[in-house]
Amino acid sequence: MTPTVIQTQPIDGQKPGTSGLRKKTRVFMGEHYLENYVQAIFDGIGGVEGKTLVVGGDGRYFNDRAIQVILRMAAANLAQRCIVGAGGILSTPAASHLIRKRGTDGGLILSASHNPGGPEEDFGLKYNGPNGGPANEGVTDKIYARTTELTEYKVVEAAEIDLGTLGESDLSGMAVEIVDPVNDYAELMESLFDFAAIGELFANGFRMRFDAMHAVTGPYATEILENRLDAPSGTVSNGTPLPDFGGGHPDPNPIWANELMDEMYGSDAPDFGAASDGDGDRNMIVGKGAYVSPSDSLAVLADLAHLAPAYAEGLSGIARSMPTSAAADRVAKAKGIEAFETPTGWKFFGNLLDAGRVTICGEESAGTGSNHVREKDGLWAVLLWLNILAKTGKSVPDLLADHWARYGRNYYSRHDYEAVDSDAANGLMQNLRDNLATLPGQSAGGLTVESADEFAYDDPVDGSHSAAQGIRIFFEGGGRAVFRLSGTGTQGATLRVYLELLETQTDQLQKDPQDALAPIISAADALAEIKSRTGRDAPDVIT
Ligand code: VG1
Ligand code: CO
C-alpha cells in the first residue's frame, strides 16, 4: 500500500529534555503534533527503512492510540518490523532489555515517567538507540533540528492492530510482533540475582510491601516477587496499571508514596518496603522506620553488589550524576575503582557502560541501574537490595548504620520549586552565573563559600562536551549546594536545589536531614535569592 504523505508545518518547541519530549497530553494529541515528532525521530536517526524497532509505554492515557499512530508511520517509512509489548505496555528497563536482547535498531518508549497521566496531565515520547539507552545529545539535537524544518510526514491508512493478542501480523508490509512484556525481563532478573536465597528469605517469614503506584511495574513485580520468589500474595499493592495512575503522582518518594511510608513507619511495619515510578525505572527503598535516600542506596548497593551472582567479580567503576551525593565516590575509592560524575540524565551513562568503564550508575532522583540494560531500573534495585538482605541477614537500618559508620554520612536533600515563572527561574540562574567569580569568600548561613562553578562535562569515551549542567557552590567544611532547572517539567520552570553535607563524627549520624542541612539550606537561599526571586516561601516538594 502506498503511504499517504501529509503536509504539515514545523512545530515550535519540540525540543527533547532530560529524557525525551514531555508535554501536556492535550498538546501531544493536537493536530500533527505526535506525527511531526515521530517523523522527526525517524528522519533524525537516518530513516527507519528496513529497521526493527521496539515500541511500548507505561500505559498512561493516550499510550494505546499513540502506538497505533507510531506503527502506521513506521510502516509508511518502510520499517521492517516493530516489536510491541502486549497491550502497548513495556516498562522502560524492559524496553531497554528487549532492544538489546533482540538486537534491534532501537525503540520508541512512550512515557512521562513519574509525572501524572490523563487527558489534562502529561505525556512523553523518547527514542532509545541500538544499545538500549536514551539517545545521546548528538542524536537528540538532530531530532530537534528536524522538528524545526519538517513539512510532511508519512503514514499508511490501515485497520487498528490488536495490541492485546500475542503473535505476528502484517501492517502494510511491516511485521508487527506482539510480545509478552514481562517474561524476558523476569528471566533477566533471575539470571542476575540469587533467587534461591531471596526465596528462602520469604519462606522464612520475611515480609515486604511493594507499592506499584498503579503504574507499569505492577505486572512485573507480581510475576517476579509473588510468582517466582513466592512472596505472599498481596505483597504487591496498587498492582494494576491505570491510565491515570489512580489520580496520583507515580513518583516513588516519601511525599507521593506516603501510603507506603505510613506503613513502613507504623507499628506493624513489614521488613522491607519499595516503590517504583510510572515507567518502572525509578525506585524507592525503605526499611522499618528507615527511608533510604537514593544517594545512599547507590553507595550501599555499590559497596555490597558482589553479594549478587552477576556482580560477584566486583565492579569496574561507579558513575553518579553530578547532583547525586558523593557517598558513592568514597565506595569507589575504597575499592580502588574509577568514579565518574556525569550531567543529569541516564543518557550520559551510556558510553561509560558500553565501554565497560562502569558497572553501576545512579542518580539522586531515585534511579539506580547497572550494565544489564541501558536505563535505570527500579525492580533491579529492589532485587539487589533483597539479595543483599538475604545474604547478610541484616535489616535495612543496620546496613545503613554500618555504611555510615564506615564511610561517614552524606546528609542530603533536594528542594523543588515547581511551576515557577520561567523568567524568574532563568533570572535566578543567570544571577548565580554572573556572580560565580565573586562567590568564593562570601559568608551565608554561617558558612563560607570555598569555590563555585558551572558544571560542564567532557565525555571520557567520545570526547563530546556538555555545557551549563548546573551551578555548584562548595562550602568550607565540605558542604555543597547545587542549582539547576528541570528538563522534564511541562509547566513553567522547576528549580531544583540539591543540598549536601558530609558528617563523619560517629555521634552525629542519626540526625534528621533537614536539621543537619539547615546551614546549607539557609546559605543556598541567601546566595541565590530563592525566596525573593521565585516569590515562594518554601519548596513545593522536599525529598
Ligand atoms: C529528572 C531527574 C533526573 C532523571 C530524569 C528522568 O530530570 O532529576 O535525574 O534522569 O528526571 O527520570 P530533571 O531534568 O527534571 O531534573 V524519569 O524516571 O523521568 O525517566
Ligand atoms: Co521514570
mmCIF file of all heavy atoms in Angstrom, residues 245-260:
data_model
loop_
_atom_site.group_PDB
_atom_site.id
_atom_site.type_symbol
_atom_site.label_atom_id
_atom_site.label_comp_id
_atom_site.label_asym_id
_atom_site.label_seq_id
_atom_site.Cartn_x
_atom_site.Cartn_y
_atom_site.Cartn_z
ATOM 1 N N PHE A 245 -3.051 6.428 36.622
ATOM 2 C CA PHE A 245 -2.319 6.020 37.835
ATOM 3 C C PHE A 245 -3.167 6.249 39.096
ATOM 4 O O PHE A 245 -2.640 6.621 40.154
ATOM 5 C CB PHE A 245 -0.980 6.774 37.940
ATOM 6 C CG PHE A 245 -0.135 6.683 36.711
ATOM 7 C CD1 PHE A 245 0.227 7.817 36.000
ATOM 8 C CD2 PHE A 245 0.305 5.446 36.240
ATOM 9 C CE1 PHE A 245 0.999 7.736 34.844
ATOM 10 C CE2 PHE A 245 1.086 5.356 35.089
ATOM 11 C CZ PHE A 245 1.424 6.499 34.394
ATOM 12 N N GLY A 246 -4.482 6.036 38.931
ATOM 13 C CA GLY A 246 -5.366 6.205 40.085
ATOM 14 C C GLY A 246 -5.444 7.654 40.554
ATOM 15 O O GLY A 246 -5.841 7.931 41.687
ATOM 16 N N GLY A 247 -5.074 8.585 39.670
ATOM 17 C CA GLY A 247 -5.170 10.003 40.029
ATOM 18 C C GLY A 247 -3.959 10.514 40.796
ATOM 19 O O GLY A 247 -3.904 11.686 41.146
ATOM 20 N N GLY A 248 -2.981 9.648 41.053
ATOM 21 C CA GLY A 248 -1.830 10.069 41.860
ATOM 22 C C GLY A 248 -0.613 10.422 41.013
ATOM 23 O O GLY A 248 -0.649 10.379 39.786
ATOM 24 N N HIS A 249 0.448 10.809 41.709
ATOM 25 C CA HIS A 249 1.748 11.001 41.069
ATOM 26 C C HIS A 249 2.501 9.684 41.220
ATOM 27 O O HIS A 249 2.836 9.323 42.346
ATOM 28 C CB HIS A 249 2.572 12.064 41.803
ATOM 29 C CG HIS A 249 2.179 13.459 41.494
ATOM 30 N ND1 HIS A 249 3.061 14.383 40.977
ATOM 31 C CD2 HIS A 249 1.010 14.097 41.627
ATOM 32 C CE1 HIS A 249 2.432 15.537 40.808
ATOM 33 N NE2 HIS A 249 1.192 15.395 41.206
ATOM 34 N N PRO A 250 2.811 8.990 40.144
ATOM 35 C CA PRO A 250 3.557 7.730 40.300
ATOM 36 C C PRO A 250 5.039 8.021 40.509
ATOM 37 O O PRO A 250 5.879 7.652 39.705
ATOM 38 C CB PRO A 250 3.289 7.007 38.984
ATOM 39 C CG PRO A 250 3.094 8.106 37.997
ATOM 40 C CD PRO A 250 2.513 9.284 38.730
ATOM 41 N N ASP A 251 5.324 8.738 41.587
ATOM 42 C CA ASP A 251 6.680 9.205 41.862
ATOM 43 C C ASP A 251 7.117 8.622 43.202
ATOM 44 O O ASP A 251 6.578 8.996 44.246
ATOM 45 C CB ASP A 251 6.660 10.740 41.910
ATOM 46 C CG ASP A 251 8.060 11.328 41.877
ATOM 47 O OD1 ASP A 251 9.036 10.552 41.976
ATOM 48 O OD2 ASP A 251 8.184 12.558 41.771
ATOM 49 N N PRO A 252 8.047 7.690 43.189
ATOM 50 C CA PRO A 252 8.390 6.976 44.419
ATOM 51 C C PRO A 252 9.295 7.791 45.325
ATOM 52 O O PRO A 252 10.502 7.628 45.333
ATOM 53 C CB PRO A 252 9.105 5.725 43.899
ATOM 54 C CG PRO A 252 9.726 6.164 42.609
ATOM 55 C CD PRO A 252 8.834 7.234 42.034
ATOM 56 N N ASN A 253 8.721 8.688 46.069
ATOM 57 C CA ASN A 253 9.460 9.436 47.088
ATOM 58 C C ASN A 253 8.549 9.556 48.309
ATOM 59 O O ASN A 253 7.365 9.233 48.236
ATOM 60 C CB ASN A 253 9.936 10.787 46.541
ATOM 61 C CG ASN A 253 8.786 11.713 46.195
ATOM 62 O OD1 ASN A 253 7.769 11.767 46.886
ATOM 63 N ND2 ASN A 253 8.937 12.451 45.106
ATOM 64 N N PRO A 254 9.086 9.992 49.440
ATOM 65 C CA PRO A 254 8.287 9.994 50.679
ATOM 66 C C PRO A 254 7.015 10.847 50.583
ATOM 67 O O PRO A 254 6.070 10.621 51.326
ATOM 68 C CB PRO A 254 9.250 10.577 51.714
ATOM 69 C CG PRO A 254 10.601 10.248 51.199
ATOM 70 C CD PRO A 254 10.499 10.338 49.705
ATOM 71 N N ILE A 255 6.990 11.809 49.664
ATOM 72 C CA ILE A 255 5.793 12.651 49.541
ATOM 73 C C ILE A 255 4.689 11.899 48.820
ATOM 74 O O ILE A 255 3.568 11.767 49.310
ATOM 75 C CB ILE A 255 6.110 13.935 48.722
ATOM 76 C CG1 ILE A 255 7.368 14.624 49.245
ATOM 77 C CG2 ILE A 255 4.895 14.867 48.679
ATOM 78 C CD1 ILE A 255 7.248 15.202 50.617
ATOM 79 N N TRP A 256 4.992 11.402 47.622
ATOM 80 C CA TRP A 256 3.939 10.797 46.808
ATOM 81 C C TRP A 256 3.687 9.346 47.172
ATOM 82 O O TRP A 256 2.590 8.835 46.954
ATOM 83 C CB TRP A 256 4.258 10.953 45.313
ATOM 84 C CG TRP A 256 4.284 12.390 44.906
ATOM 85 C CD1 TRP A 256 5.365 13.096 44.459
ATOM 86 C CD2 TRP A 256 3.197 13.336 44.959
ATOM 87 N NE1 TRP A 256 5.025 14.401 44.213
ATOM 88 C CE2 TRP A 256 3.696 14.585 44.509
ATOM 89 C CE3 TRP A 256 1.849 13.250 45.327
ATOM 90 C CZ2 TRP A 256 2.911 15.723 44.428
ATOM 91 C CZ3 TRP A 256 1.060 14.397 45.249
ATOM 92 C CH2 TRP A 256 1.588 15.605 44.807
ATOM 93 N N ALA A 257 4.664 8.669 47.732
ATOM 94 C CA ALA A 257 4.443 7.289 48.189
ATOM 95 C C ALA A 257 4.150 7.290 49.687
ATOM 96 O O ALA A 257 4.641 6.457 50.437
ATOM 97 C CB ALA A 257 5.655 6.425 47.863
ATOM 98 N N ASN A 258 3.310 8.243 50.112
ATOM 99 C CA ASN A 258 3.084 8.389 51.559
ATOM 100 C C ASN A 258 2.342 7.209 52.169
ATOM 101 O O ASN A 258 2.521 6.907 53.349
ATOM 102 C CB ASN A 258 2.379 9.719 51.874
ATOM 103 C CG ASN A 258 1.057 9.838 51.156
ATOM 104 O OD1 ASN A 258 0.863 9.199 50.128
ATOM 105 N ND2 ASN A 258 0.160 10.631 51.678
ATOM 106 N N GLU A 259 1.533 6.511 51.351
ATOM 107 C CA GLU A 259 0.835 5.320 51.849
ATOM 108 C C GLU A 259 1.869 4.284 52.320
ATOM 109 O O GLU A 259 1.768 3.719 53.407
ATOM 110 C CB GLU A 259 0.033 4.745 50.680
ATOM 111 C CG GLU A 259 -1.146 3.881 51.032
ATOM 112 C CD GLU A 259 -1.870 3.448 49.744
ATOM 113 O OE1 GLU A 259 -2.371 4.332 48.997
ATOM 114 O OE2 GLU A 259 -1.907 2.235 49.479
ATOM 115 N N LEU A 260 2.874 4.077 51.485
ATOM 116 C CA LEU A 260 3.942 3.134 51.831
ATOM 117 C C LEU A 260 4.747 3.637 53.033
ATOM 118 O O LEU A 260 5.081 2.867 53.941
ATOM 119 C CB LEU A 260 4.860 2.941 50.620
ATOM 120 C CG LEU A 260 6.096 2.069 50.833
ATOM 121 C CD1 LEU A 260 5.703 0.623 51.101
ATOM 122 C CD2 LEU A 260 7.023 2.124 49.613
#
